[in-house]
Every structure is written in C-alpha cells, then in structure tokens.
Amino acid sequence: MAQLATIAPYTAYKPRPFTRAQRDKTTILYGGLTWKHERLMQGVLRNLKYNAEPLPNIARDDLDAGKELIDTGACCPTIFTTGSLVNFLKKEVAAHGKEEVNEKFVYLTAGACGPCRFGQYHESYTMALDGLGLRDFRLFLLAQDELDQGSADGGGLEINLPMSLGLIWSILCGDLLVDLEYLTRPYEVNPGQTDAVLKDSVEYLYEVFLHRPDRGKKYGTLAWHLMSNYFTKALREVRKKWDAIEVDHLRVKAKVKVTGEFWLQTHEGDGNYNIKRWLEQEQSEVVPPPVAVWLHYLLHPEIRKLEHRNSKSKHPQLQHMALQGLEKIYRGTYNRFRKALANLPNELPDQVELKELAEPFYHFELRGGEGHMLIGKALHAYHHKKAHMICELSPYSCMPNTMSIGSMANVLGKYPDLLYAPIEVKGDAEVHALSRCQMILTEAKKRAHAEFEDVMNKTGLTVEAIRKYEANHPEVRRATYKVPHLGYAGMASNYVTHLARNCGVARA
Ligand code: SF4
C-alpha cells in the first residue's frame, strides 16, 4: 500500500516563555515608524532596563524577502514589514546560528483586530518564521487598546503603564519633531542644517526618555506623565536648537498633504519610494501625517458607539464622560508640547469634524485602515486651505484604501478643484507612481505661484521691501518664527500677508 504523506495539522503560534532571568541577555526588536520615533522609543525601553534595537529601515529587498514567505495576496505594508524581519533574522542566523537567534532576540509588534490585515500581521510573521525554520523565535503583541497588559508568559516582558505611556509620549514627541523637520527643511538657507539640528534634537530627547524618572507602575506614573513639566522643559530646549536655523519663507512651494494607509504614509524609505523626500526635491513642502492622529482616532469609535447606544457597557453615560475626558487630556497634552515648540507643529484635527466632513461619502462605522479619515482629511485640508494638493498613498491590495479611493471619486464630483493624487504603492513600480504624482503636482505648483502673485498684488509689497525688513528684523528668518495661517495654502503667501498686515511692511 502506498505510504500516505504525513500532514502536520495547523497549530496556532504561541511564543515560548520569555523569562525575567533572560531579560539582560535578550534584545527586543521593533520597527514600523520613522527613525526619529524609533530612537525615542529606544530611550523608553532602555529606561525600563530592556535591551532594545529597532530593525533597520525598510529596503527594497525586504519586499522580495517578504513575498517569498507569506501569502501572495498580502498588502504591501505586510510584505515589507515581514520581509524586514526576515532579512534581519537571516543575517543573524548566518552569523550566529538558529539557536542563538532564538535566545538572543524577541520581536515586539503592535497588534489589533479589525476588518483589514492589520489584525493579521502576526500571522504573516509566524508564517515567515515557519518558512525560516524559526518557530521557536518569540514574537509578542502590544495591543493598541490595552495600556496595561501585564507580563508576557515568563515575566521577561511587562507591558504596563510605564511602558505604554512612555511609548505614547515618545510617539507624540517624534511626531512634533517630524512636523518641525518638514516645516523647516524646504526653506533652510544653509543646506543640511535642518537634518543636523534634527539629529541633535532626537539624540537630546533620547536622553530625556532614557532618564525618565520612575514613578511606580500605576496611578503615580499616570499622574506624573500628565502633570509633569519634564517633557515641556525638554521641548523648550529643542526649540532653542531650531532657533539657529535660518529660513527663507519667500520661496514659493506647493504644499502637499500626505495621507493614506497608516504605515505607508508614516514611512520614510523604499517602502513608499521615499516620496516625501522626492516631493521636497520637486519644490514642495510636505505636510506629514502624525501618528498622534491615528491614536486619537482609536478613541472615537467607542465614543460614537456610546452615542448610538450600542455599547455593551453597564454604565454608558459614565463611560462616555470618561472617554471624552480622556480625549481632552490627550489633545491637551499634545497642545502643551506644541506650545513648548512655539506652536509650530500642526494642531491635531478635530475628529468630530473629520467624521462630519466624510459623512456624506463614507460612513464612520466602516472600519479598517484609516476608515473615513482619508476622506475627512482631504476635505479638511481643502476647506481650511491647508494644502494645495493631497497625495494619498494606497498600498497595493489594501481593502480600506480601495474603498476610500472609490469614495473620493464622489468627493471629486462635488469638489472638482480639489487636487488629489491617489498613488498605488506596490514597492516595485516607482517610476509609475512618481510620474502619476508629478502630474497633479505640476498643477499644484501652478496654483502656489498664482496664489503668491495674487498676494503680492493685493499687498503691493515688493521682494526688495521684504528683504529690507528682514535685514532689520532677523527674527522673521528664524525657523522658530511662527508664520500664521492667514487663509492661504502656501507658506510664502501667508508670510507676505502677515508682513503686510501685522508687521507694518509698507508698499513700495
Ligand atoms: S490598511 Fe490596508 S495596507 Fe494597511 S494593514 Fe490594512 S489591508 Fe494592509
């Protein structure tokens, strides 16, 4: 009788215990955000006495490594991030062998549930571990909606309030630095100065997180994070560093708001064709997407559910008030940090406004990815004149983004002058994606120049008069000088209007 092949039944992945005794010899790997966020997160983890290293930034060959090992229909962020872990582990295995790698590293990643693949990333990682023969490698999930998860099996990793609050605070600070960076670099007078100051600021804040005082594991640490001036003081020091950068706000740039799928829009590297740097080289100012908006968004479904009385809570009114209080504290903290940086970074958009703007086109209960936010953000930028165009980064094979792009057709029918570039990102079609973006960008640049000419005519100012004023008032050429938003998308247009209206620069 022919021998039947043995088929191994499916067994769900369960990490081996990570014990407290192993902590000193084990390194926690993580990734998925920008190098700025990741360095500050490293400060938080090292402050809690963990060895922690971010994975190398995503590279093009991570896509190939991911494709080889996980299901071919996966969305491109899943493939890239899995490939990044795979390539790292392959190198380590080649250098030290499987057993040592299984003992030396654990991987910590965000987990969620929901209708898109974000809830299944860990399945892709475990599929890849199987493919590499590293089933014993340990992978832990940091739930997005649970700040105090307690100890992972073995007690080596404790996902508690000091860790969660530290990571959230480091993300907020990372976002603020990213905002400063993109606001400044297109206008810097001395090329490279913004990047140098940025690096210095990140290292400074890394030390701040590394030396964060211990205030216990429960309410003491919560109260300290909310009330201490430890971080605002540090951010004021950062502001002083940015004071040194000289800028020229008369440069006319198209302002491009980057939206899209969470990972793709946040990422800086091959995963999205380095599109933010490319846009800057193409004479634009990029409005980057803060991670903080996503964290804010996570609070809202619960609030909406309670409003619609379909919550399972026994005390819906109390819970509603608690969530609204939490939201106020969250926004208040972000604004406190912004204030320490002269209010230069952008404000968080109002989630209720985003929902209402999107409502006619995309229902807020359609979850997955960024849900209704992509429509809401595009319309928010359009109505408030916060950008000349929207560049929406949509991963190949992403269900929520496909729906959002479909709905945007309806939005554009109603607002035909909204400049919108939906860029499908597969990871290996750079020329196609960038040339598509360039088509819309050309129109955005024309608008930026027309807007500027209009402002110059309206104010009657000349470049010579402005330069003369700047020579006598060098503070207006500092990166920390706040140019108010006076109804124009472009920085140069707002700057000239501000000089004419508020600084008394006279007509020629
Ligand atoms: S939002 Fe799209 S790209 Fe992102 S994890 Fe979900 S399915 Fe993948």
Side-chain angles (χ1 to χ4, degrees), residues 75 77-78 116-118 121 261 369 395 397-400:
C75 54
T78 317
C116 84
R117 289 190 188 88
F118 187 41
Y121 268 41
E261 189 270 341
S397 179
C398 167
M399 177 273 288

Side-chain angles (χ1 to χ4, degrees), residues 143-192:
Q144 290 192 117
D145 53 354
E146 237 181 301
L147 297 183
D148 197 353
Q149 287 172 237
S151 298
D153 194 9
L157 177 68
E158 227 184 310
I159 301 174
N160 52 16
L161 279 182
M163 178 187 273
S164 299
L165 292 174
L167 291 177
I168 293 173
W169 262 233
S170 68
I171 287 174
L172 301 186
C173 289
D175 280 348
L176 294 162
L177 286 180
V178 170
D179 256 19
L180 278 184
E181 172 194 0
Y182 283 93
L183 193 68
T184 308
R185 193 168 41 226
Y187 304 101
E188 68 185 3
V189 171
N190 303 307

Side-chain angles (χ1 to χ4, degrees), residues 255-259 285 287-288 377-378 381 387 389-392:
K255 207 182 227 183
V256 182
K257 183 169 175 64
V258 171
T259 66
E285 178 192 331
V287 184
K377 283 180 188 176
M389 76 173 255
I390 307 296
C391 172
E392 182 177 325

Side-chain angles (χ1 to χ4, degrees), residues 74-79 115-121 260-264 294 368-371 393-402:
C75 54
C76 94
T78 317
I79 303 176
C116 84
R117 289 190 188 88
F118 187 41
Q120 297 303 315
Y121 268 41
E261 189 270 341
F262 174 80
W263 183 81
L264 266 193
W294 167 256
E370 295 237 327
L393 301 175
S394 300
Y396 170 71
S397 179
C398 167
M399 177 273 288
N401 255 90
T402 308

Side-chain angles (χ1 to χ4, degrees), residues 44-247:
V44 173
L45 294 169
R46 287 185 176 169
N47 165 265
L48 296 170
K49 311 287 178 256
Y50 293 103
N51 299 316
E53 290 293 335
L55 286 172
N57 200 20
I58 295 286
R60 171 63 185 78
D61 60 357
D62 294 334
L63 185 74
D64 300 328
K67 271 184 193 163
E68 273 174 30
L69 290 173
I70 64 170
D71 93 80
T72 47
C75 54
C76 94
T78 317
I79 303 176
F80 264 119
T81 50
T82 311
S84 165
L85 178 65
V86 165
N87 275 336
F88 179 86
L89 292 178
K90 272 184 181 168
K91 270 189 209 130
E92 290 295 323
V93 167
H96 307 289
K98 283 185 187 175
E99 245 172 69
E100 195 175 323
V101 169
N102 283 336
E103 293 312 312
K104 199 173 159 196
F105 299 105
V106 300
Y107 185 55
L108 180 63
T109 183
C113 71
C116 84
R117 289 190 188 88
F118 187 41
Q120 297 303 315
Y121 268 41
H122 59 285
E123 291 292 346
S124 297
Y125 296 142
T126 54
M127 198 187 268
L129 293 179
D130 279 342
L132 292 172
L134 287 173
R135 185 76 168 181
D136 278 346
F137 180 83
R138 288 160 294 179
L139 175 76
F140 295 99
L141 291 185
L142 183 65
Q144 290 192 117
D145 53 354
E146 237 181 301
L147 297 183
D148 197 353
Q149 287 172 237
S151 298
D153 194 9
L157 177 68
E158 227 184 310
I159 301 174
N160 52 16
L161 279 182
M163 178 187 273
S164 299
L165 292 174
L167 291 177
I168 293 173
W169 262 233
S170 68
I171 287 174
L172 301 186
C173 289
D175 280 348
L176 294 162
L177 286 180
V178 170
D179 256 19
L180 278 184
E181 172 194 0
Y182 283 93
L183 193 68
T184 308
R185 193 168 41 226
Y187 304 101
E188 68 185 3
V189 171
N190 303 307
Q193 196 181 4
T194 305
D195 287 347
V197 171
L198 175 67
K199 197 158 187 299
D200 184 29
S201 305
V202 171
E203 286 312 306
Y204 171 74
L205 285 179
Y206 164 80
E207 293 292 328
V208 168
F209 280 101
L210 184 66
H211 298 109
R212 184 177 53 136
D214 180 355
R215 289 289 184 271
K217 291 191 176 174
K218 294 284 176 191
Y219 298 110
T221 198
L222 181 64
W224 181 81
H225 277 85
L226 296 178
M227 289 187 294
S228 157
N229 66 354
Y230 182 76
F231 295 104
T232 42
K233 235 168 96 187
L235 289 168
R236 280 197 287 274
E237 289 303 312
V238 168
R239 177 183 159 179
K240 285 183 197 156
K241 294 177 192 288
W242 288 74
D243 246 351
I245 305 177
E246 191 190 355
V247 291

Side-chain angles (χ1 to χ4, degrees), residues 318-385:
L318 264 183
Q319 200 189 343
H320 191 235
M321 278 163 57
L323 281 171
Q324 283 189 323
L326 190 62
E327 188 192 3
K328 265 200 185 135
I329 290 171
Y330 180 72
R331 286 188 83 175
T333 302
Y334 198 73
N335 283 335
R336 241 172 5 109
F337 289 1
R338 284 180 58 240
K339 196 169 166 205
L341 294 169
N343 283 320
L344 291 162
N346 296 308
E347 244 182 299
L348 293 179
D350 180 353
Q351 285 290 334
V352 175
E353 188 184 358
L354 291 186
K355 169 188 162 279
E356 285 171 358
L357 286 170
E359 195 100 71
F361 310 98
Y362 202 103
H363 199 275
F364 73 92
E365 276 177 340
L366 288 172
R367 303 292 312 282
E370 295 237 327
H372 65 273
M373 273 208 299
L374 296 177
I375 312 288
K377 283 180 188 176
L379 284 170
H380 186 271
Y382 172 77
H383 288 305
H384 292 284
K385 293 206 167 48

